[in-house]
Amino acid sequence: MLSDRQITSRRLLLVAAGMSLLGIAGCRGPAEGGGGGAAEGAEAAGPPGPGAVPGSADPSPPAEPSPSPSPSAAPSPTAAPSVPPPVARALTAAETRPVYELDAERRVVALTIDDGPDPRHTPTVLALLEQYGIRATFFLIGENAVEHPGLVREIAARGHHIANHTWSHPDLRSLSESKVREELERTSDLLHRSTGKVPTWFRAPGGDWSSTSLKVSADLGMRPMAWSVDPRDWARPGTGVITDRILKDVRPGAIVLNHDGGGDRSQTVAALKTYLPVLIDSGYRFTAPPG
Ligand SMILES: [Zn+2]
């Protein structure tokens, strides 16, 4: 863990870099598929400001890269050949480091849902989010997205944020730069063709970041998003355990990791039904990057 002095100096650096809203932690979070408890290395964010959502944090550069689809170019599978190539904006140095938590002084939570889409669970998750008026971030796997394009469009149409979780969910640390680029670029291209939007956030499988994957994601204009609350729902410990872990670990600014793909996620879905209303009743609001 960082000392108070280190945290203070890092905060000053963040403020100097214009990162007024997001907390950037330099160390790895727990592994998505077998790591320890949640929130290791999580760090409180800098001073609060309006609209604490990832992607709108840096006041200097444009919050979202172009291109956005023109009104006449509604995304559809048949539109693929005419979609212009993605244009990545240059990230600041601070933006190339994983974000573990949001502004800790606001009672907001970012719900992130990984490894889908999956027709067994994603529609139920979408219905729940709609019921509670929650916008979430879906980190989609390209292999699943290409199998279920209708679900990808539905997630986007319901206003959720769609982000890049690689094409085949490999351990990126073991891949060459060209292979990492292929994993990320292929997924971004597909999601762009499906939704008309270029992904601006990326998550490494397992939270296993590497200098190569961070470089490639920056080249593609994507910021890395980690998490601070991991209920290890992928291991199916039981709905009650998932719920308890989340409610115990959530605090203002938390980024919560859940899964709607990669296996039987019925426990996760049941836990969402339980803990979402509890968090709402506790005064939490949910946030996601724009788009
Ligand atoms: Zn994953």
Side-chain angles (χ1 to χ4, degrees), residues 59-85:
S60 45
E64 285 290 298
S66 16
S68 56
S70 68
S72 60
S76 74
T78 56
S82 63
V83 174

Side-chain angles (χ1 to χ4, degrees), residues 205-232:
D208 292 323
W209 309 99
S210 67
S211 56
T212 300
S213 64
L214 293 175
K215 174 188 180 299
V216 171
S217 65
D219 287 347
L220 298 174
M222 293 187 291
R223 298 181 60 186
M225 189 187 297
W227 59 80
S228 62
V229 176
D230 177 10
R232 298 165 63 84

Side-chain angles (χ1 to χ4, degrees), residues 3 33 65 108 178 181 203 226 235 286:
S3 70
V108 295
S178 64
R181 186 174 297 274
R203 176 173 284 166
F286 290 83

Side-chain angles (χ1 to χ4, degrees), residues 32 114-115 139 141 165 169 203-206 257 259:
E32 191 177 8
D114 287 19
D115 293 0
F139 282 93
I141 295 173
H165 198 38
H169 210 266
R203 176 173 284 166
L257 171 64
H259 295 80

